Amino acid sequence: MGPIFHKLGLSTASIVHEASYLFDPTFITQDYRYLNLRPIGRQEAYLADITYGTNNEFGFDYLRDNMKFSLEEYVQRELNYAVVDEVDNILIDEARTPLIISGPAEESTDKYYNIDRIIPKLQRGAVIQGDPSQEDRAAIDAKGDYTVDEKSRSVTLTEGGVAKVERLLGVHNLYDPRQIDTLHHVQQALKAHAIFKRDVDYVVKDGEVIIVDEFTGRLMPGRRWSDGLHQAVEAKERVHIARKTKRSRPSQSKIISVCTKSWRNDRNRGHGGS
């Protein structure tokens, strides 16, 4: 569409992860994939008459702008119209994974590695669904140090597992209010090992854990699981751990409505998209 819009006197830009381009028929490059695509800054891309991009990139730029201290630093501007393809996927399916971004919290990442080291020493127990009855609890607890509920994607320590974790970490009482942070990280580390599978839920690429979209199978660079789970997976894979962030979690529909005066689903015009 770039050549058509150019003939009509309109500038066309596109934004992708950590890059943005302006259609320029005079721009020549050795990489044929980027023919007529001149690299530009993010702010210049949004100043184009038409800007192509994904909902993730628009959303993260919106969040980053709201962390800045002056309007001059904003990359986005007031937009008039948005044509949204596959809006049902964006507002329903992908909305289950919020966009999370913020500045790093002041904490050490060593604790993730320290806790991860004890997880292989715990014995995986029964696979359950829902909350078992009191009568079944004793038999289930005897099978291992923790139970796994694959449907709800949760992991729970048994009484024996709690005692073993306390012994391995040198903690007197794991449920002491002063140890609530330790308990949380143990539970997240258990989920990282027992629930989240490499090359299924995520991939490791260039020393970074990248989430795999559960609906499309596409990689989602820049996305991170919250509440220390992403750091737990990074510790499991022995890659560099990015510091936990203080969260900001707007919905996809809020981002679209705030960024534009009006938006429209491309399906309403008879285009199903791909």
Side-chain angles (χ1 to χ4, degrees):
M1 296 299 294
I4 297 176
F5 290 134
H6 183 75
K7 288 288 186 181
L8 295 174
L10 299 173
S11 59
T12 307
S14 63
I15 58 174
V16 294
H17 186 56
E18 298 183 345
S20 48
Y21 304 92
L22 180 72
F23 177 78
D24 181 355
T26 64
F27 181 77
I28 305 299
T29 178
Q30 293 182 347
D31 192 336
Y32 183 79
R33 296 174 302 169
Y34 299 100
L35 183 65
N36 302 141
L37 293 178
R38 177 164 57 87
I40 57 174
R42 210 69 156 187
Q43 192 174 59
E44 186 179 353
Y46 281 105
L47 289 175
D49 296 314
I50 301 170
T51 304
Y52 283 90
T54 66
N55 58 300
N56 287 343
E57 296 304 321
F58 289 134
F60 279 122
D61 286 341
Y62 170 80
L63 291 178
R64 282 187 282 264
D65 277 354
N66 278 271
M67 295 169 59
K68 294 173 181 175
F69 297 100
S70 67
L71 292 176
E72 289 75 18
E73 296 178 340
Y74 277 36
V75 298
Q76 290 186 337
R77 62 182 175 91
E78 184 176 356
L79 305 174
N80 294 297
Y81 209 91
V83 178
V84 183
D85 188 25
E86 298 285 353
V87 70
D88 52 341
N89 178 60
I90 294 172
L91 300 184
I92 299 175
D93 297 337
E94 291 195 23
R96 294 174 58 186
T97 306
L99 303 182
I100 302 174
I101 191 172
S102 187
E106 296 299 325
E107 65 169 3
S108 171
T109 58
D110 292 341
K111 60 186 175 184
Y112 296 103
Y113 292 119
N114 293 335
I115 291 176
D116 182 78
R117 291 189 186 101
I118 74 167
I119 301 303
K121 299 178 181 179
L122 302 178
Q123 181 182 349
R124 182 184 176 113
V127 177
I128 63 174
Q129 286 191 5
D131 191 18
S133 63
Q134 193 67 32
E135 294 77 13
D136 297 333
R137 172 59 65 182
I140 291 174
D141 286 357
K143 293 182 179 180
D145 296 318
Y146 59 91
T147 59
V148 179
D149 189 334
E150 294 179 341
K151 184 176 182 180
S152 64
R153 296 176 72 81
S154 62
V155 181
T156 305
L157 284 168
T158 63
E159 290 187 12
V162 171
K164 184 179 287 188
V165 169
E166 291 173 343
R167 185 172 67 255
L168 291 170
L169 292 178
V171 175
H172 176 67
N173 182 3
L174 192 58
Y175 287 92
D176 187 299
R178 292 172 295 181
Q179 299 295 338
I180 192 69
D181 189 57
T182 301
L183 174 62
H184 173 72
H185 288 300
V186 168
Q187 292 173 330
Q188 295 296 66
L190 280 171
K191 287 180 66 175
H193 280 264
I195 300 294
F196 288 81
K197 307 300 182 184
R198 181 170 178 167
D199 297 330
V200 177
D201 301 295
Y202 65 92
V203 299
V204 178
K205 184 178 181 181
D206 299 328
E208 181 182 358
V209 172
I210 303 177
I211 299 175
V212 175
D213 188 296
E214 62 178 308
F215 301 103
T216 65
R218 297 171 182 168
L219 300 184
M220 298 194 292
R223 289 276 191 107
R224 295 181 65 82
W225 290 301
S226 61
D227 297 325
L229 177 60
H230 207 97
Q231 286 82 354
V233 175
E234 289 170 332
K236 166 190 169 184
E237 296 296 341
R238 293 295 187 266
V239 299
H240 173 73
I241 296 179
R243 287 191 173 185
K244 187 178 177 181
T245 58
K246 299 174 183 178
R247 296 175 296 166
S248 177
R249 307 169 53 138
S251 65
Q252 304 275 16
S253 57
K254 178 181 178 182
I255 290 174
I256 294 175
S257 62
V258 167
C259 291
T260 63
K261 290 182 179 179
S262 61
W263 61 280
R264 166 178 192 172
N265 179 13
D266 199 37
R267 287 175 178 248
N268 291 338
R269 298 188 300 163
H271 301 286
S274 58

